[in-house]
Amino acid sequence: MASASIPSNPADLLRAAGIKVTPGRVRVLQALHGARQPLCHGEMEAQLGVDGEAAMDRVTLYRILDSLVACGLALKAVDTRGVFRFSAAGAQRQHANHIHFRCTDCGGVFCLKAEPPPPPTLPEGFRLRRAEFDVCGTCDRCSGDTTPLVPR
Amino acid sequence: MASASIPSNPADLLRAAGIKVTPGRVRVLQALHGARQPLCHGEMEAQLGVDGEAAMDRVTLYRILDSLVACGLALKAVDTRGVFRFSAAGAQRQHANHIHFRCTDCGGVFCLKAEPPPPPTLPEGFRLRRAEFDVCGTCDRCSGDTTPLVPR
DNA sequence: CCACAAATGCAACAATGTTGCGTTTGTGGC
DNA sequence: GCCACAAACGCAACATTGTTGCATTTGTGG
């Protein structure tokens, strides 16, 4: 097998990003890539404990996550409860060109066909970093059966 | 002047909502209505201190905010730093037909001229509750002076 | 005006995230 | 393979934001 020009295993990703390859970082990156949705700090701690290895220090985990975000290998966001959630960068690339629908009932995320709207023009001096169309409501299953969902 | 059928002062709003009218709640509701953007707990504490009256107990403020949310007089959301922000219910109506730009640096919210994009069509059975165009980056002041903002 | 439930103030606690500092470890150079 | 050094780690302590328990005060209906 020839050497991969597009690195995909955690160690290579870390090397390519220019930060040291440590067991902790490899484990965290693996966990992020294996996750089907962004993980918060606590979930990640639990996840890592399952590996059979000793649980990682809380602060170290925070620092690893920060370093991954800083070098672009991970993304940081905040959920509705105000907790930071981390996801592997690149995981969202496949989710680039369509809109997501979030079910507020079951928490599920669904991909819509529609293209995201173009970013708006900003006033002088403003810099756009991210523009996201946040669409939420209830999915087909959750809409159907029970919840009247406070129409007020 | 006839009795108002649409109550608008804090005390009447509280009465109409069916919860006790207390000085604290009136003050908080006034602050919320006077605010040009959602306030976090700390900002509200500061705001209330300015009134000349004694600052309110931290826990009491939390509970007042919760009670206002519970009876529908206030709305609770979470900002990018993971902090809860509260706004007067109805206050968002005047903010309905344009896009908001959120500065990730100073936390400020700015109103853009552009109209919000039309809501996407949903698959069968899905119910839309909210569609919001979330635009963020750095405002003119924060973009200008200091931060290189990790261009990497 | 009274009684009672609701609201408040205080203290303590809980969850999440950060800082300082001494020790360990990955990495480049030999 | 070995060394030195900076980066990463582990630990302890701290900071911020939000919550819970409980005794006291206060708004409201009668």
Side-chain angles (χ1 to χ4, degrees):
Chain A
M1 209 181 283
S3 65
S5 55
I6 304 173
S8 58
N9 69 315
D12 285 345
L13 285 171
L14 290 169
R15 255 185 290 274
I19 63 173
K20 285 187 182 177
V21 180
T22 68
R25 282 176 178 166
V26 170
R27 275 207 287 162
V28 170
L29 205 45
Q30 270 173 341
L32 285 180
H33 276 107
R36 289 192 320 284
Q37 46 179 281
L39 300 174
C40 68
H41 183 272
E43 289 165 351
M44 205 162 301
E45 239 180 335
Q47 181 96 1
L48 294 174
V50 175
D51 285 0
E53 310 198 37
M56 176 174 300
D57 182 68
R58 235 168 52 85
V59 177
T60 300
L61 179 50
Y62 273 114
R63 285 201 267 235
I64 286 178
L65 289 169
D66 278 346
S67 67
L68 292 181
V69 170
C71 74
L73 288 177
L75 298 173
K76 186 179 188 177
V78 64
D79 72 8
T80 46
R81 284 206 343 258
V83 178
F84 289 130
R85 291 188 169 271
F86 299 86
S87 59
Q92 85 292 359
R93 226 186 303 279
Q94 54 188 282
H95 286 280
N97 225 33
H98 57 263
I99 307 179
H100 284 138
F101 178 90
R102 226 180 46 241
C103 177
T104 52
D105 230 40
C106 66
V109 176
F110 305 84
C111 300
L112 303 183
K113 289 274 173 55
E115 274 190 24
T121 51
L122 300 178
E124 192 68 35
F126 281 57
R127 282 198 300 187
L128 181 71
R129 187 194 285 184
R130 199 173 56 85
E132 196 174 304
F133 201 20
D134 185 34
V135 182
C136 61
T138 46
C139 71
D140 52 352
R141 238 187 339 183
C142 294
S143 293
D145 39 27
T146 47
T147 51
L149 261 182
V150 58
R152 196 193 161 63
Chain B
M1 208 181 286
S3 64
S5 54
I6 303 173
S8 59
N9 70 315
D12 285 346
L13 284 170
L14 291 168
R15 253 185 290 276
I19 63 173
K20 285 187 181 176
V21 180
T22 68
R25 282 176 178 166
V26 170
R27 276 207 287 162
V28 170
L29 204 47
Q30 270 172 339
L32 285 181
H33 275 106
R36 288 191 321 285
Q37 46 179 277
L39 300 175
C40 69
H41 183 271
E43 291 165 351
M44 205 161 301
E45 239 180 335
Q47 182 96 2
L48 293 174
V50 176
D51 285 0
E53 310 199 36
M56 176 174 301
D57 183 67
R58 234 168 54 83
V59 177
T60 300
L61 179 50
Y62 273 115
R63 286 201 267 234
I64 286 178
L65 289 169
D66 279 346
S67 67
L68 292 181
V69 171
C71 73
L73 289 178
L75 299 173
K76 185 179 186 176
V78 64
D79 72 7
T80 45
R81 283 202 346 254
V83 177
F84 290 129
R85 290 187 170 271
F86 298 85
S87 58
Q92 81 287 4
R93 226 186 306 277
Q94 56 187 278
H95 286 280
N97 223 34
H98 57 262
I99 308 179
H100 285 138
F101 178 91
R102 225 180 44 241
C103 177
T104 53
D105 231 40
C106 67
V109 176
F110 305 85
C111 301
L112 303 182
K113 289 272 173 56
E115 274 189 24
T121 50
L122 299 178
E124 193 67 35
F126 281 57
R127 281 198 301 188
L128 181 72
R129 184 195 285 184
R130 200 174 54 87
E132 195 175 304
F133 201 19
D134 185 32
V135 181
C136 61
T138 45
C139 71
D140 51 353
R141 239 189 337 185
C142 293
S143 294
D145 39 28
T146 47
T147 52
L149 259 183
V150 60
R152 201 183 163 67

